[in-house]
Amino acid sequence: MKKMYVLIGNYGSGKTELALNFAFRAAARGERTELLDLDMVNTYFRLTERGRMTRMKEIRIVSPNYANSSVDLPALPAEVYSLVRRHDRCAIFDVGGDDRGAVALGRYVPDILAENDYEMYFVANFCRPLTRSAEEALSVMREIEEACRLPFTAIINNSNLGDETTAQTVLQTESRVRELCALS
């Protein structure tokens, strides 16, 4: 049985790393797993850069036609449509970091809603610009929902400072994620 997981958040929120971890967990459960790179905003950090690691786990990556090339053309392969409609695998979407990136997801919404077998996570990093407060994060969430025409079903607190992250970093943002949940 297929399940679609959509991860969207502001740039630098860590959604690509989370998408990889979602895929590794699904593959470990024995599910056929597809990672869909719909990040049309940040073309410098792509799932395709993790190709060897994902192939070892038998995870297939579907990415823009010109990913990891010198061509900067936001073209998605036609096979994304068939993956959205298939029911025999787990599909994990890594979607661009703002409302413009979410537009790429919008074209698949009718098929996603037809199955109603998805979870869409807002990946919040309260250590990044534009999402330092619950109100700012809510504004980004609403822009993304409007752009892709799909409602969020959950929020992930992925607040971090990269290698400088401590447990205290995450604990200090707990109240903001609770406030965001209450506001949304």
Side-chain angles (χ1 to χ4, degrees), residues 64-83:
N65 294 326
Y66 301 103
N68 290 344
S69 74
S70 60
V71 178
D72 187 17
L73 182 65
L76 293 170
E79 71 184 306
V80 174
Y81 278 107
S82 65
L83 292 174

PDB file of all heavy atoms in Angstrom, residues 64-83:
ATOM      1  N   PRO A  64      14.668  16.330 -11.277  1.00  0.00           N
ATOM      2  CA  PRO A  64      14.548  17.108 -12.515  1.00  0.00           C
ATOM      3  C   PRO A  64      15.499  16.583 -13.578  1.00  0.00           C
ATOM      4  O   PRO A  64      16.580  16.068 -13.279  1.00  0.00           O
ATOM      5  CB  PRO A  64      14.921  18.531 -12.072  1.00  0.00           C
ATOM      6  CG  PRO A  64      14.550  18.565 -10.630  1.00  0.00           C
ATOM      7  CD  PRO A  64      14.867  17.176 -10.118  1.00  0.00           C
ATOM      8  N   ASN A  65      15.073  16.731 -14.816  1.00  0.00           N
ATOM      9  CA  ASN A  65      15.811  16.170 -15.945  1.00  0.00           C
ATOM     10  C   ASN A  65      17.263  16.615 -16.018  1.00  0.00           C
ATOM     11  O   ASN A  65      18.112  15.876 -16.495  1.00  0.00           O
ATOM     12  CB  ASN A  65      15.108  16.523 -17.255  1.00  0.00           C
ATOM     13  CG  ASN A  65      13.754  15.858 -17.358  1.00  0.00           C
ATOM     14  OD1 ASN A  65      13.562  14.744 -16.889  1.00  0.00           O
ATOM     15  ND2 ASN A  65      12.797  16.540 -17.960  1.00  0.00           N
ATOM     16  N   TYR A  66      17.565  17.815 -15.552  1.00  0.00           N
ATOM     17  CA  TYR A  66      18.919  18.336 -15.695  1.00  0.00           C
ATOM     18  C   TYR A  66      19.637  18.469 -14.358  1.00  0.00           C
ATOM     19  O   TYR A  66      20.575  19.234 -14.221  1.00  0.00           O
ATOM     20  CB  TYR A  66      18.883  19.687 -16.414  1.00  0.00           C
ATOM     21  CG  TYR A  66      18.250  19.567 -17.770  1.00  0.00           C
ATOM     22  CD1 TYR A  66      16.947  19.994 -17.996  1.00  0.00           C
ATOM     23  CD2 TYR A  66      18.946  18.992 -18.826  1.00  0.00           C
ATOM     24  CE1 TYR A  66      16.352  19.854 -19.238  1.00  0.00           C
ATOM     25  CE2 TYR A  66      18.359  18.848 -20.069  1.00  0.00           C
ATOM     26  CZ  TYR A  66      17.072  19.283 -20.274  1.00  0.00           C
ATOM     27  OH  TYR A  66      16.482  19.151 -21.496  1.00  0.00           O
ATOM     28  N   ALA A  67      19.208  17.701 -13.361  1.00  0.00           N
ATOM     29  CA  ALA A  67      19.845  17.766 -12.040  1.00  0.00           C
ATOM     30  C   ALA A  67      21.322  17.397 -12.151  1.00  0.00           C
ATOM     31  O   ALA A  67      21.702  16.517 -12.920  1.00  0.00           O
ATOM     32  CB  ALA A  67      19.147  16.831 -11.063  1.00  0.00           C
ATOM     33  N   ASN A  68      22.132  18.083 -11.370  1.00  0.00           N
ATOM     34  CA  ASN A  68      23.582  17.859 -11.321  1.00  0.00           C
ATOM     35  C   ASN A  68      24.263  18.054 -12.667  1.00  0.00           C
ATOM     36  O   ASN A  68      25.211  17.362 -13.000  1.00  0.00           O
ATOM     37  CB  ASN A  68      23.918  16.477 -10.756  1.00  0.00           C
ATOM     38  CG  ASN A  68      23.609  16.402  -9.283  1.00  0.00           C
ATOM     39  OD1 ASN A  68      23.432  17.428  -8.626  1.00  0.00           O
ATOM     40  ND2 ASN A  68      23.543  15.208  -8.760  1.00  0.00           N
ATOM     41  N   SER A  69      23.737  18.978 -13.445  1.00  0.00           N
ATOM     42  CA  SER A  69      24.394  19.340 -14.695  1.00  0.00           C
ATOM     43  C   SER A  69      24.593  20.852 -14.665  1.00  0.00           C
ATOM     44  O   SER A  69      24.177  21.526 -13.733  1.00  0.00           O
ATOM     45  CB  SER A  69      23.544  18.938 -15.906  1.00  0.00           C
ATOM     46  OG  SER A  69      22.434  19.800 -16.046  1.00  0.00           O
ATOM     47  N   SER A  70      25.191  21.376 -15.680  1.00  0.00           N
ATOM     48  CA  SER A  70      25.387  22.820 -15.735  1.00  0.00           C
ATOM     49  C   SER A  70      24.155  23.538 -16.292  1.00  0.00           C
ATOM     50  O   SER A  70      24.124  24.750 -16.358  1.00  0.00           O
ATOM     51  CB  SER A  70      26.624  23.149 -16.580  1.00  0.00           C
ATOM     52  OG  SER A  70      26.429  22.653 -17.893  1.00  0.00           O
ATOM     53  N   VAL A  71      23.128  22.790 -16.639  1.00  0.00           N
ATOM     54  CA  VAL A  71      21.906  23.372 -17.176  1.00  0.00           C
ATOM     55  C   VAL A  71      20.971  23.707 -16.022  1.00  0.00           C
ATOM     56  O   VAL A  71      20.654  22.851 -15.200  1.00  0.00           O
ATOM     57  CB  VAL A  71      21.208  22.396 -18.159  1.00  0.00           C
ATOM     58  CG1 VAL A  71      19.908  22.984 -18.672  1.00  0.00           C
ATOM     59  CG2 VAL A  71      22.141  22.050 -19.298  1.00  0.00           C
ATOM     60  N   ASP A  72      20.550  24.946 -15.924  1.00  0.00           N
ATOM     61  CA  ASP A  72      19.640  25.379 -14.857  1.00  0.00           C
ATOM     62  C   ASP A  72      18.249  25.567 -15.451  1.00  0.00           C
ATOM     63  O   ASP A  72      17.810  26.676 -15.704  1.00  0.00           O
ATOM     64  CB  ASP A  72      20.139  26.672 -14.220  1.00  0.00           C
ATOM     65  CG  ASP A  72      19.316  27.060 -13.008  1.00  0.00           C
ATOM     66  OD1 ASP A  72      18.589  26.198 -12.476  1.00  0.00           O
ATOM     67  OD2 ASP A  72      19.396  28.228 -12.603  1.00  0.00           O
ATOM     68  N   LEU A  73      17.580  24.451 -15.703  1.00  0.00           N
ATOM     69  CA  LEU A  73      16.259  24.463 -16.294  1.00  0.00           C
ATOM     70  C   LEU A  73      15.329  23.651 -15.400  1.00  0.00           C
ATOM     71  O   LEU A  73      15.544  22.454 -15.214  1.00  0.00           O
ATOM     72  CB  LEU A  73      16.317  23.846 -17.700  1.00  0.00           C
ATOM     73  CG  LEU A  73      15.027  23.806 -18.498  1.00  0.00           C
ATOM     74  CD1 LEU A  73      14.553  25.228 -18.810  1.00  0.00           C
ATOM     75  CD2 LEU A  73      15.245  23.040 -19.782  1.00  0.00           C
ATOM     76  N   PRO A  74      14.305  24.279 -14.836  1.00  0.00           N
ATOM     77  CA  PRO A  74      13.423  23.565 -13.901  1.00  0.00           C
ATOM     78  C   PRO A  74      12.423  22.657 -14.612  1.00  0.00           C
ATOM     79  O   PRO A  74      11.238  22.937 -14.692  1.00  0.00           O
ATOM     80  CB  PRO A  74      12.721  24.699 -13.160  1.00  0.00           C
ATOM     81  CG  PRO A  74      12.693  25.822 -14.147  1.00  0.00           C
ATOM     82  CD  PRO A  74      13.954  25.684 -14.966  1.00  0.00           C
ATOM     83  N   ALA A  75      12.897  21.542 -15.134  1.00  0.00           N
ATOM     84  CA  ALA A  75      12.038  20.616 -15.866  1.00  0.00           C
ATOM     85  C   ALA A  75      11.923  19.311 -15.095  1.00  0.00           C
ATOM     86  O   ALA A  75      12.923  18.680 -14.777  1.00  0.00           O
ATOM     87  CB  ALA A  75      12.616  20.353 -17.256  1.00  0.00           C
ATOM     88  N   LEU A  76      10.697  18.916 -14.803  1.00  0.00           N
ATOM     89  CA  LEU A  76      10.452  17.662 -14.083  1.00  0.00           C
ATOM     90  C   LEU A  76      10.152  16.547 -15.072  1.00  0.00           C
ATOM     91  O   LEU A  76       9.484  16.756 -16.074  1.00  0.00           O
ATOM     92  CB  LEU A  76       9.272  17.829 -13.128  1.00  0.00           C
ATOM     93  CG  LEU A  76       9.513  18.784 -11.970  1.00  0.00           C
ATOM     94  CD1 LEU A  76       8.218  19.072 -11.232  1.00  0.00           C
ATOM     95  CD2 LEU A  76      10.535  18.197 -11.029  1.00  0.00           C
ATOM     96  N   PRO A  77      10.620  15.338 -14.790  1.00  0.00           N
ATOM     97  CA  PRO A  77      10.346  14.220 -15.695  1.00  0.00           C
ATOM     98  C   PRO A  77       8.868  13.828 -15.648  1.00  0.00           C
ATOM     99  O   PRO A  77       8.214  13.917 -14.609  1.00  0.00           O
ATOM    100  CB  PRO A  77      11.229  13.097 -15.164  1.00  0.00           C
ATOM    101  CG  PRO A  77      11.532  13.461 -13.764  1.00  0.00           C
ATOM    102  CD  PRO A  77      11.457  14.957 -13.662  1.00  0.00           C
ATOM    103  N   ALA A  78       8.371  13.364 -16.772  1.00  0.00           N
ATOM    104  CA  ALA A  78       6.965  12.959 -16.873  1.00  0.00           C
ATOM    105  C   ALA A  78       6.639  11.792 -15.955  1.00  0.00           C
ATOM    106  O   ALA A  78       5.500  11.627 -15.535  1.00  0.00           O
ATOM    107  CB  ALA A  78       6.634  12.599 -18.318  1.00  0.00           C
ATOM    108  N   GLU A  79       7.623  10.989 -15.595  1.00  0.00           N
ATOM    109  CA  GLU A  79       7.366   9.817 -14.756  1.00  0.00           C
ATOM    110  C   GLU A  79       6.869  10.182 -13.356  1.00  0.00           C
ATOM    111  O   GLU A  79       6.333   9.327 -12.655  1.00  0.00           O
ATOM    112  CB  GLU A  79       8.587   8.920 -14.667  1.00  0.00           C
ATOM    113  CG  GLU A  79       9.717   9.499 -13.864  1.00  0.00           C
ATOM    114  CD  GLU A  79      10.937   8.611 -13.879  1.00  0.00           C
ATOM    115  OE1 GLU A  79      10.840   7.422 -13.552  1.00  0.00           O
ATOM    116  OE2 GLU A  79      12.013   9.138 -14.217  1.00  0.00           O
ATOM    117  N   VAL A  80       7.014  11.439 -12.941  1.00  0.00           N
ATOM    118  CA  VAL A  80       6.497  11.837 -11.632  1.00  0.00           C
ATOM    119  C   VAL A  80       4.992  11.606 -11.579  1.00  0.00           C
ATOM    120  O   VAL A  80       4.463  11.133 -10.574  1.00  0.00           O
ATOM    121  CB  VAL A  80       6.845  13.307 -11.302  1.00  0.00           C
ATOM    122  CG1 VAL A  80       6.180  13.745 -10.001  1.00  0.00           C
ATOM    123  CG2 VAL A  80       8.353  13.489 -11.215  1.00  0.00           C
ATOM    124  N   TYR A  81       4.289  11.882 -12.684  1.00  0.00           N
ATOM    125  CA  TYR A  81       2.835  11.647 -12.718  1.00  0.00           C
ATOM    126  C   TYR A  81       2.506  10.185 -12.435  1.00  0.00           C
ATOM    127  O   TYR A  81       1.616   9.874 -11.656  1.00  0.00           O
ATOM    128  CB  TYR A  81       2.240  12.041 -14.077  1.00  0.00           C
ATOM    129  CG  TYR A  81       1.980  13.503 -14.208  1.00  0.00           C
ATOM    130  CD1 TYR A  81       2.774  14.298 -15.011  1.00  0.00           C
ATOM    131  CD2 TYR A  81       0.918  14.112 -13.526  1.00  0.00           C
ATOM    132  CE1 TYR A  81       2.538  15.655 -15.138  1.00  0.00           C
ATOM    133  CE2 TYR A  81       0.674  15.458 -13.640  1.00  0.00           C
ATOM    134  CZ  TYR A  81       1.492  16.233 -14.451  1.00  0.00           C
ATOM    135  OH  TYR A  81       1.253  17.564 -14.557  1.00  0.00           O
ATOM    136  N   SER A  82       3.229   9.274 -13.068  1.00  0.00           N
ATOM    137  CA  SER A  82       2.922   7.860 -12.850  1.00  0.00           C
ATOM    138  C   SER A  82       3.262   7.432 -11.428  1.00  0.00           C
ATOM    139  O   SER A  82       2.571   6.589 -10.854  1.00  0.00           O
ATOM    140  CB  SER A  82       3.656   6.981 -13.865  1.00  0.00           C
ATOM    141  OG  SER A  82       5.045   7.058 -13.674  1.00  0.00           O
ATOM    142  N   LEU A  83       4.289   8.000 -10.837  1.00  0.00           N
ATOM    143  CA  LEU A  83       4.642   7.647  -9.459  1.00  0.00           C
ATOM    144  C   LEU A  83       3.577   8.109  -8.482  1.00  0.00           C
ATOM    145  O   LEU A  83       3.289   7.436  -7.501  1.00  0.00           O
ATOM    146  CB  LEU A  83       5.994   8.248  -9.088  1.00  0.00           C
ATOM    147  CG  LEU A  83       7.183   7.659  -9.828  1.00  0.00           C
ATOM    148  CD1 LEU A  83       8.452   8.427  -9.495  1.00  0.00           C
ATOM    149  CD2 LEU A  83       7.342   6.196  -9.503  1.00  0.00           C
TER     150      LEU A  83
END
